[in-house]
Amino acid sequence: MLLKTILNRVQRHKSFVYDKVRMIEKAKGNHVLEIGLKARSNSRPICSGCHRAGPTYDRLPERLFLFVPLWQIQVYFVYAMRRVNCAHCGKVIVEEVPWAVGKGRLTKACQWFLARWAQRMSWQEVARAFHTTWDHVHSSVQYAVQWGLVHRVTEGVKTIGVDEIQYARGHQYLTLVYQIDKGCKRLLWIGKEHTADCLRGFFQLMGEPFAHGLKFVCSDMWRAYLEVIAEQAPQAVHVLDRFHIMKLMNKAIDEVRREEVKRLKQDGYEPILKNSRWCLLKRLENMTKKQTVKLTELMRYNLQSMRAKLSRDDFQRFWDYESVGWAAKFLEEWCSRTMRSKIEPMKKVARTLRSHKELLLNWFRADGELSSGVVEGFNNKAKLAMRKAYGFRTYEAIQHALYHQLGALPTPEMTHEFA
Ligand SMILES: [Zn+2]
């Protein structure tokens, strides 16, 4: 089958026809395919300013547009753009062509192709596999994300989760808002900071009907978020979710451990707590054999770290309650016990939990409507997505990577899927 026949099957353009196909050796052993395109003789160019047809003014020199590679050979469309003498715009403007956007050097097909691969591999790997650059992969992802954001539907969202994630060294945090409804889980929005104003920006963008339609909002205890959620979606049940509470406790355990390591060293004890970080933080069922052995060893000492860990494990029972009343009773008992423990970081956790008691108990009032692992799952996926875009850790690239990976964005229907 001739190449042109295939192209007419997979990528047909209404007012243009495929012309000559040439294979050129750019360097020794490095071939590229150039496929000419011509406007149909009776067609008039479309003005890229107003999208209306107009008379041809002149023709620019030939330009190359990168297409989807065939058999690992780079393929270019070659076309001399016409300029339109547009009566409507009142000036001479370059025509628009159906296979590319604006001044872009990549065809749309190529952009969708690279963007799809970038969901499966790191951007660097995509660039290497298809002999292109990291920048081309990024701009393709950007194109896909922009298209998706314009075409997505955000009606009917009942449940959202608000999370924050560190994206660069220092205190550079992003605010992420997810839809976590049973039938639809996706990233809805990214904010550049983790301030009240930032989250307010999300509610402003989505509008009042969106905020008033919310039934549940999940978040951590960050005061800025608590304030904005109460102000923007007062009717929604606000739930502090399990992931964030456990994160808080793990932070406390880590603090206790670090202090204790220091103290033991000063008092001249053997370094029993060395390499103990993960066996204190992990749950028993997730531990390796080595970590279990280490844990048994640690049990022999009456360590604060160990007691803090046991107290956290004990708290896990909280989530198993079904009635709000019993859960409240357990919470109060756990807090009182912890307050007597003399372990300062854990006492701080207990105080925090006490002061957020109602929001914590909302977990039970939500009555099984929320699944506990969702926000945590997204948090892990977000970290992975940021690693995939690794190259230039700019806010822009990270934003595109996150939407691309977690946004469940729509894609256009195409006559042929290249990837
Ligand atoms: Zn025009």
Side-chain angles (χ1 to χ4, degrees), residues 22 24 47 53-54 69 77 86 100 124 145 153 161 171 184 198 254 306:
R22 295 188 300 170
I24 298 165
C47 164
F77 285 174
C86 183
Q124 229 150 21
V145 165
V153 178
H171 287 279
C184 183
C198 180
D254 217 29
M306 203 57 213

Side-chain angles (χ1 to χ4, degrees), residues 39 93 111 138-139 141 170 181 227 231 267 304 335 356 385 390:
I93 291 182
Q111 288 184 299
H138 178 198
S139 71
V141 170
D181 284 308
E227 267 171 32
E231 141 204 322
D267 298 348
Q304 284 206 343
C335 288
H356 294 87
Y390 181 80

Side-chain angles (χ1 to χ4, degrees), residues 47-52 84 86-91 93:
C47 164
S48 58
C50 62
H51 314 293
R52 292 164 207 236
V84 191
C86 183
H88 189 257
C89 296
K91 53 184 170 182
I93 291 182

